[in-house]
Amino acid sequence: WRSGAIKWAAMAGLATQWKIALSVIVLLLLDAVVTAWRLRVLLDPRGFHLPLYSAFRLTMIGVFFNSYLPGATGGDLVRIYYATEGNPGRKTEVGTIVMLDRATGMFAMMLLPLLLLPFFPELLEKSAGLRAVLWVVAGIAAGTLAGTLLCFSERVRQSAPVEWAIRRLPLGRYIGIVYDTLHAYREHPAPLFVAVGISLLAHMLAMSVAMLASLATHPGEFAWKMCVVIPIGFAANALPVTPGGLGVGEAAFSKLFALAGLT
């Protein structure tokens, strides 16, 4: 009887692992679809109407190259290459929007732990190291927001330094196109807000994958507070140091989990 009970328990555990694995695959694919939707939202106001299926293909190409190029941003260069095909004369504009897509995602990644932190106030009380990390995260988010507002400013666009850079620098023409592409969202900011919301959803899906992995490997040590530090670990994994962030993200997660009192 004992042998049979152990066997049934093992089979039940295996079935649970398979359910978690299938859930992870579904969440990863859904994350890619949501990310592709964000690119569409940012392209549409500029007159680039990309079908969702094409945006999904472009996103998956970026995911593939992100796994083999340094950091999690190398795939953006490949995405720009394919996205600009068929858009002669507007390649710089398309490339700027693709990089805006990445910047929107990074801003939301910094914003997410700050939004979740009020649900876990004990994290700030117990760890001075984590407080310092979150101050850095808040600073990056604030800096990104300030940079966006500068690009929206009509006074900055018409200022003498900007006009001089556009007219005199060797790549000034491209600087002007980049600035004007970003500046154009000043009249129609709604897509940017939508893109940030979509990014938060995408990051929560990716965060769920990491939490499911934790549940599968160490179910007895699962804690909801890990959702605060996981997005920061993802951000560290995007640093262009090693292919796919190999080792960088793992080291960051190890340190962040320790700061949060997790193994």
Side-chain angles (χ1 to χ4, degrees):
W1 177 87
R2 184 181 300 174
S3 175
I6 293 173
K7 185 182 295 184
W8 277 108
M11 291 178 63
L14 184 62
T16 300
Q17 297 289 354
W18 273 107
K19 289 178 181 177
I20 291 176
L22 290 173
S23 299
V24 164
I25 292 172
V26 171
L27 286 172
L28 287 172
L29 289 173
L30 185 58
D31 183 28
V33 172
V34 170
T35 303
W37 176 31
R38 181 183 67 199
L39 181 60
R40 281 200 64 202
V41 167
L42 291 173
L43 284 170
D44 278 347
R46 304 300 302 151
F48 302 102
H49 302 294
L50 189 66
L52 182 59
Y53 175 68
S54 299
F56 177 75
R57 290 176 59 197
L58 195 61
T59 299
M60 295 306 291
I61 290 171
V63 169
F64 174 81
F65 282 98
N66 279 341
S67 301
Y68 298 100
L69 295 177
T73 56
D76 289 331
L77 300 177
V78 182
R79 284 204 305 157
I80 290 173
Y81 172 79
Y82 283 108
T84 54
E85 289 294 305
N87 291 290
R90 301 187 70 182
K91 291 187 175 183
T92 304
E93 187 177 354
V94 174
T96 301
I97 297 172
V98 172
M99 294 310 298
L100 176 63
D101 174 67
R102 167 61 69 176
T104 303
M106 290 301 294
F107 172 72
M109 193 175 288
M110 297 293 98
L111 188 61
L112 184 57
L114 302 177
L115 295 176
L116 294 173
L117 187 59
F119 297 99
F120 307 96
E122 71 278 3
L123 287 177
L124 289 180
E125 297 173 1
K126 295 180 180 179
S127 176
L130 188 57
R131 282 200 301 269
V133 170
L134 288 168
W135 273 113
V136 172
V137 168
I140 295 173
T144 304
L145 182 60
T148 303
L149 293 176
L150 283 176
C151 290
F152 282 1
S153 172
E154 194 71 38
R155 181 178 298 179
V156 172
R157 175 62 183 87
Q158 296 177 358
S159 65
V162 172
E163 290 292 339
W164 178 87
I166 293 173
R167 293 177 182 176
R168 299 293 184 180
L169 291 181
L171 298 177
R173 172 174 170 269
Y174 298 101
I175 294 174
I177 295 174
V178 170
Y179 198 106
D180 289 341
T181 300
L182 298 175
H183 186 74
Y185 286 94
R186 178 176 182 267
E187 302 298 329
H188 305 283
L192 289 178
F193 291 106
V194 174
V196 171
I198 293 172
S199 298
L200 290 172
L201 174 60
H203 295 325
M204 285 190 286
L205 290 170
M207 183 174 65
S208 299
V209 169
M211 296 178 76
L212 282 173
S214 172
L215 185 62
T217 54
H218 295 83
E221 300 179 19
F222 180 86
W224 285 101
K225 63 182 178 179
M226 68 176 68
C227 67
V228 175
V229 296
I230 287 175
I232 307 173
F234 285 155
N237 196 69
L239 295 174
V241 179
T242 60
L246 184 63
V248 178
E250 286 74 14
F253 271 104
S254 179
K255 182 64 175 177
L256 288 165
F257 270 50
L259 290 174
L262 300 165
T263 60

